């Protein structure tokens, strides 16, 4: 017997969200490597995100979620640590070459290495559109393919673990803490962008985050709109919706500073 349409659509959206979260860190890790600098990131953004991923992982373990979900939580935490290592490593590397430059303050001017891009270098709109269109196609295709593979494999369903009231409260608290951290992490990054003009920051990080949160929230709502079900997932829904809002602000900053850079180049204004 085939599953209801809502369950199928929810599964596809869930797998699509998973695809987004697997690759979300890659653009920024590569950006840091190519620039030999991690100064595009707010260090507080990464630390708070790390706390969010850590509490998310702890909640997944206590809730007895699938091993794949626990492994993903561990993967997210590892990626956060990689970003932190990049930031501090490139600061240490730069300090060896430029003794007079202080990298202790996170508002230090960016891109101090020989791999720096010119500030007036702007990626063509067609290239940007193609990149993001390809990203969306990747997410949709991956979601459909993963759903098809998972639906063709018979898995014995196990009844959900029953937790004591105190344990249930702990799990919910970890979920809300994680949601608040994901939300709060964007604030220092938005503030930092106003001084760095988003240089050294990969917009794809926030684009995949928006896609991941949107598809995740939709997978929950499509599955069921019953009150109890929505209340159980309220922390994740709230975190996803509000994080999308803040990520859109970051992408708006990218667009605004890109527009200003083009205008300055057209008028021959030196930065």
């Amino acid at each position: 017997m085939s599953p209801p349409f809502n369950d199928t659509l929810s599964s596809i959206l869930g797998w699509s969200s998973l695809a987004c979260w697997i690759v979300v860190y890659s653009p920024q890790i590569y950006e840091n490597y190519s620039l030999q600098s991690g100064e595009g990131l707010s260090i507080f953004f990464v630390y708070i995100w790390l706390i969010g991923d850590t509490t998310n992982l702890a909640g997944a373990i206590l809730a007895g979620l699938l091993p794949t979900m626990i492994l993903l939580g561990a993967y997210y935490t590892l990626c956060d640590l990689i970003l932190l290592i990049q930031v501090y490593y490139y600061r240490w590397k730069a300090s060896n070459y430029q003794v007079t430059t202080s990298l202790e303050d996170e508002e230090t001017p960016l891109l101090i290495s020989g791999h720096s891009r010119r500030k007036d270098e702007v990626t063509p709109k067609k290239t940007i559109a193609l990149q993001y269109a390809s990203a969306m196609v990747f997410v949709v295709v991956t979601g459909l393919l993963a759903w098809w593979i998972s639906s063709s494999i018979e898995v014995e369903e196990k009844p959900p673990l029953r937790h004591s009231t105190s344990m249930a409260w702990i799990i919910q608290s970890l979920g809300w803490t994680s949601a608040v951290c994901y939300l709060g992490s964007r604030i220092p990054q938005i503030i930092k962008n106003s001084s760095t003009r988003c240089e050294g920051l990969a917009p794809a990080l926030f684009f995949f985050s928006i896609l991941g949160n949107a598809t995740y929230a939709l997978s929950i709502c499509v599955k069921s709109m019953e009150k109890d079900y929505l209340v159980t997932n309220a922390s994740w829904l709230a975190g996803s919706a509000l994080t999308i809002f803040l990520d859109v602000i970051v992408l708006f900053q990218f667009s605004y500073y890109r527009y200003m850079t083009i205008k300055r180049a057209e008028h021959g204004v030196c930065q």
Side-chain angles (χ1 to χ4, degrees):
M1 182 177 177
S2 60
F5 175 75
N6 281 16
D7 288 348
T8 298
L9 182 56
S10 176
S11 179
I12 293 174
L13 289 168
W15 283 111
S16 298
S17 176
L18 195 58
C20 291
W21 291 119
I22 289 176
V23 301
V24 69
Y25 294 91
S26 303
Q28 188 61 52
I29 292 174
Y30 176 76
E31 183 83 358
N32 292 344
Y33 171 76
S34 63
L35 298 177
Q36 293 292 287
S37 170
E39 296 302 306
L41 287 169
S42 165
I43 199 69
F44 296 110
F45 167 57
V46 185
Y47 271 123
I48 298 172
W49 206 354
L50 174 60
I51 295 173
D53 283 332
T54 303
T55 52
N56 180 53
L57 174 60
I61 294 173
L62 292 178
L65 298 185
L66 292 173
T68 51
M69 300 305 295
I70 295 175
L71 287 174
L72 279 171
Y75 166 74
Y76 301 151
T77 303
L78 175 62
C79 287
D80 293 331
L81 293 174
I82 290 174
L83 289 175
L84 285 175
I85 290 171
Q86 284 186 312
V87 171
Y88 286 113
Y89 170 73
Y90 292 132
R91 285 185 179 185
W92 171 80
K93 184 177 180 181
S95 66
N96 288 341
Y97 289 97
Q98 298 187 9
V99 179
T100 58
T101 301
S102 174
L103 298 180
E104 294 300 322
D105 184 355
E106 76 159 339
E107 302 303 331
T108 301
L110 302 179
L111 312 182
I112 55 179
S113 73
H115 297 269
S116 302
R117 289 200 206 101
R118 289 177 33 179
K119 289 185 179 181
D120 59 351
E121 182 180 330
V122 179
T123 305
K125 289 184 179 179
K126 289 184 177 180
T127 301
I128 295 175
L130 181 61
Q131 289 174 344
Y132 286 101
S134 300
M136 293 189 70
V137 170
F138 163 79
V139 168
V140 173
V141 171
T142 302
L144 288 170
L145 183 61
W147 165 78
W148 179 76
I149 293 174
S150 64
S151 62
S152 63
I153 299 175
E154 294 185 2
V155 179
E156 182 182 354
E157 292 189 8
K158 297 181 179 179
L161 292 177
R162 306 186 73 171
H163 303 285
S164 63
T165 303
S166 59
M167 181 59 71
W169 273 105
I170 292 174
I171 294 171
Q172 281 293 315
S173 297
L174 288 170
W176 279 105
T177 301
S178 177
V180 170
C181 287
Y182 290 146
L183 181 63
S185 64
R186 269 58 175 181
I187 304 300
Q189 187 63 58
I190 289 173
I191 294 173
K192 184 179 178 69
N193 291 343
S194 64
S195 62
T196 63
R197 301 171 60 83
C198 295
E199 287 195 51
L201 197 62
L205 167 67
F206 300 91
F207 179 76
F208 277 115
S209 176
I210 290 172
L211 281 182
N213 278 307
T215 50
Y216 179 70
L218 285 173
S219 71
I220 293 175
C221 295
V222 165
K223 187 175 182 64
S224 175
M225 291 297 289
E226 293 182 3
K227 182 180 178 180
D228 291 342
Y229 180 75
L230 292 178
V231 168
T232 301
N233 292 278
S235 60
W236 288 273
L237 284 172
S240 294
L242 293 173
T243 302
I244 287 173
F245 173 73
L246 293 180
D247 283 342
V248 168
I249 292 178
V250 175
L251 290 185
F252 172 78
Q253 288 180 307
F254 274 104
S255 299
Y256 172 74
Y257 291 125
R258 182 180 185 279
Y259 171 79
M260 294 302 294
T261 299
I262 293 174
K263 283 296 181 183
R264 271 191 288 271
E266 289 177 350
H267 290 84
V269 178
C270 296
Q271 300 189 49

